[in-house]
């Protein structure tokens, strides 16, 4: 009579084991991801109502605001201007960073390259530098009073551009992002290149293809999924830019407190003290990121399917 019950318990324990392993990750996901998102959504539908001078007890109360915070966020000119700045910033960062990452990956995958391991580490190393430290390093290199580049330009009698204001500011911050993110994207693309079968390259060489033709007609099309993946990562990182402008802001007057959308959220929440409007803006940014990523993914899948059918 006891043997069947022990067998059932053992079978139940084996089936429940995977859920036991997933439980810590699920708990962390709920505590540090799902609950904060849910709380931000809840805050976005509320506001503070002030009675009288707002000094007495009970003079401030949290009330339901409906879509009021979302309407204010969508009609906020500062948020629109910050979104336009991010579009200009992303138009520089994404193509340059992915272009360099693809170039370095193809170069490292070439048979003629020497010291491949050292080169791979050297290109990837800037990614290991924290974003705040990288922004500080480049920020001091941009300052005319301490930058060795400005000293050399002055010694040569050449003009010294102000890299911390106006249009050059976009290129200055884009340079920080490209310097730090190229190595990670290069590793992703390079890993995909190393997984390709050698038989394809050998067949192309027998057909008389040069290294350039192999790279353009074989390697790049076959690592297209990795290119799409790095493109999505770059788009999401661009929409969430915060470290670079926030770190460079004390060094120049050309960066407002609402330069990027996330800086606008931070300013509303911690400087203006309106966490409800900041939550609504954060939810709008999250939805915009999701819609943009989903649309790009659908477009990429459609083009991949059309190419396969042909």
């Amino acid at each position: 009579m006891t043997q069947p019950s022990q067998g059932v318990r053992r079978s139940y324990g084996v089936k429940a084991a995977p859920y036991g392993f997933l439980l810590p990750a699920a708990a962390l996901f709920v505590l540090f991801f799902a609950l904060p998102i849910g709380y931000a959504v809840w805050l976005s539908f509320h506001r503070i109502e002030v009675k009288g001078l707002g000094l007495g007890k009970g003079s401030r109360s949290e009330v339901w605001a409906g879509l009021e915070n979302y309407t204010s966020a969508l009609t906020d000119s500062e948020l629109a201007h910050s979104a336009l700045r991010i579009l200009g910033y992303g138009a520089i960062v994404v193509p340059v960073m992915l272009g360099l990452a693809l170039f370095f990956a193809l170069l490292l995958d070439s048979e003629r390259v020497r010291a491949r391991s050292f080169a791979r580490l050297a290109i990837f190393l800037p990614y290991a530098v924290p974003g705040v430290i990288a922004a500080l390093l480049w920020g001091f290199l941009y300052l005319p009073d301490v930058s060795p580049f400005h000293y050399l330009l002055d010694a040569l009698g050449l003009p010294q551009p102000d890299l911390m204001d106006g249009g050059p500011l976009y290129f200055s911050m884009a340079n920080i992002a490209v310097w730090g993110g190229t190595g990670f994207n290069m590793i992703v693309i390079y890993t995909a290149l190393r997984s390709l079968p050698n038989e394809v390259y050998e067949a192309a060489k027998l057909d008389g293809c040069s290294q350039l033709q192999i790279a353009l007609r074989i390697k790049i099309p076959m690592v297209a999924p990795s290119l799409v993946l790095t493109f999505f990562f770059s788009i999401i990182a661009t929409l969430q830019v915060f470290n670079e402008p926030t770190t460079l802001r004390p060094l120049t007057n050309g960066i407002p407190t609402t330069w990027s959308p996330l800086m606008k959220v931070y300013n509303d929440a911690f400087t203006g003290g309106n966490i409800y409007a900041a939550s609504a803006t954060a939810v709008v940014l999250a939805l915009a990121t999701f819609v943009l990523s989903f649309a790009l993914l659908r477009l990429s899948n459609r083009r991949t399917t059309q190419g396969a059918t042909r």
Side-chain angles (χ1 to χ4, degrees), residues 169-245:
L169 179 63
Y170 288 86
F171 293 95
S172 299
M173 283 195 287
N175 174 64
I176 300 174
V178 171
W179 180 79
T182 300
F184 171 79
N185 295 301
M186 181 272 297
I187 289 295
V188 174
I189 301 172
Y190 177 73
T191 303
L193 286 172
R194 299 302 294 176
S195 64
L196 298 180
N198 293 326
E199 292 80 3
V200 179
Y201 302 150
E202 294 175 359
K205 292 177 182 178
L206 291 176
D207 291 337
C209 294
S210 62
Q211 291 294 327
L212 180 61
Q213 291 175 330
I214 292 175
L216 295 178
R217 299 182 181 181
I218 297 177
K219 292 184 178 181
I220 295 179
M222 294 187 72
V223 298
S226 297
L227 293 174
V228 172
L229 179 64
T230 54
F231 178 74
F232 288 150
F233 286 162
S234 302
I235 290 292
I236 294 174
T238 300
L239 294 175
Q240 297 177 350
V241 63
F242 179 80
N243 289 334
E244 291 85 355

Side-chain angles (χ1 to χ4, degrees), residues 50-82:
V50 180
K51 298 178 182 179
L53 297 177
L55 300 177
K57 183 178 180 180
S59 60
R60 293 174 175 267
S61 58
E62 192 175 67
V63 298
W64 177 261
L67 298 177
E68 179 181 339
N69 293 325
Y70 289 96
T71 303
S72 301
L74 294 175
T75 57
D76 192 346
S77 60
E78 291 185 356
L79 181 61
H81 291 158
S82 64

